[in-house]
Amino acid sequence: MLGVGVGFDTKGANQIKVYKPNRDDVFLYEIPDSREGWVESVRLLLDSYFSAGKKTVEFSYKLIRPKGIPLQTFGGVASGPEPLRELHVMVRNCLSKIPNRGTLKMRDIVDLMNFIGKCVVAGNIRRSAEIAMGEYNDKEFIGLKDYQKNPERSEYGWVSNNSILAKLGMDYQDSVNSILKNGEPGFAWIENMRNYGRM
């Protein structure tokens, strides 16, 4: 959210616990009109689900510039608070469906990152560069950009380039079938990256 590209993997799937925030204890965060303020709001929201016993976070958007106001230092125009409000709703909906003390699944990780990327591009000139890396044998990851199977992801799935962590001798068939259909996943040769700094 601060103007740099980001790469992430799905190795935290089935390991990161999710907790229900305490609805009887509410913290109101007044979001400053800055990129850092937007980032802090997302951090607070995520943290309220990833630590036990946290307060429910609510937001005030009144300090955020209205849509269409020129951004002097960053360029483009202000998107207004709506993209951030939508991001908060999407994050909350994603995490609220997970049972208390349940764990994030692979799709939850990719969806959360894609939600953030979608919010970043809302100001017209802003760009989001994401690369999602999943396991080569994870059929669900390979099929994330099959919008016939996952039509709801067409709203945000385009934000990341999805690549599998490829291994020599692996079965390429599922990946190749997906590539023929929608151009992804890419192949990330992790050993080459570690040894030579190249994919």
Side-chain angles (χ1 to χ4, degrees):
M1 291 183 80
L2 291 175
V4 297
V6 64
F8 63 95
D9 63 42
T10 59
K11 291 185 180 291
N14 305 310
Q15 296 178 41
I16 301 169
K17 283 196 173 179
V18 176
Y19 303 89
K20 300 295 183 196
N22 182 352
R23 291 182 183 265
D24 298 324
D25 198 359
V26 176
F27 168 69
L28 179 66
Y29 179 65
E30 194 167 84
I31 305 165
D33 187 30
S34 66
R35 286 183 285 173
E36 292 81 5
W38 287 39
V39 169
E40 180 64 7
S41 75
V42 175
R43 186 195 69 78
L44 289 168
L45 181 56
L46 290 172
D47 189 52
S48 73
Y49 283 90
F50 294 149
S51 302
K54 288 284 188 170
K55 298 178 180 183
T56 294
V57 181
E58 297 294 344
F59 301 103
S60 168
Y61 304 88
K62 67 182 181 183
L63 297 178
I64 298 174
R65 280 171 277 200
K67 183 177 182 176
I69 302 291
L71 299 173
Q72 294 178 353
T73 56
F74 197 58
V77 295
S79 58
E82 247 351 273
L84 183 60
R85 193 186 319 263
E86 182 182 329
L87 171 60
H88 290 152
V89 168
M90 292 172 84
V91 168
R92 206 181 297 272
N93 288 345
C94 178
L95 295 174
S96 293
K97 71 177 173 47
I98 300 170
N100 193 41
R101 297 184 184 276
T103 57
L104 278 182
K105 305 302 180 210
M106 175 281 300
R107 173 151 172 191
D108 299 322
I109 294 169
V110 179
D111 283 355
L112 288 167
M113 294 299 292
N114 288 172
F115 297 160
I116 293 168
K118 181 182 177 193
C119 180
V120 168
V121 301
N124 297 327
I125 199 165
R126 291 176 231 170
R127 300 289 180 261
S128 174
E130 291 183 356
I131 183 167
M133 296 197 204
E135 298 301 323
Y136 72 93
N137 55 358
D138 186 339
K139 291 184 180 186
E140 185 182 12
F141 179 83
I142 291 167
L144 282 178
K145 288 204 177 179
D146 182 340
Y147 299 136
Q148 290 179 331
K149 286 184 186 173
N150 305 298
E152 68 288 350
R153 293 198 84 255
S154 66
E155 294 180 29
Y156 53 85
W158 50 267
V159 174
S160 62
N161 291 313
N162 296 351
S163 292
I164 56 168
L165 297 167
K167 296 185 182 296
L168 286 175
M170 67 180 216
D171 182 352
Y172 294 87
Q173 195 60 58
D174 290 330
S175 297
V176 169
N177 290 342
S178 180
I179 291 166
L180 290 171
K181 190 170 192 176
N182 62 43
E184 292 193 24
F187 293 82
W189 301 98
I190 198 76
E191 291 305 318
N192 283 357
M193 288 187 264
R194 286 185 183 135
N195 295 332
Y196 309 109
R198 302 222 190 290
M199 289 193 185

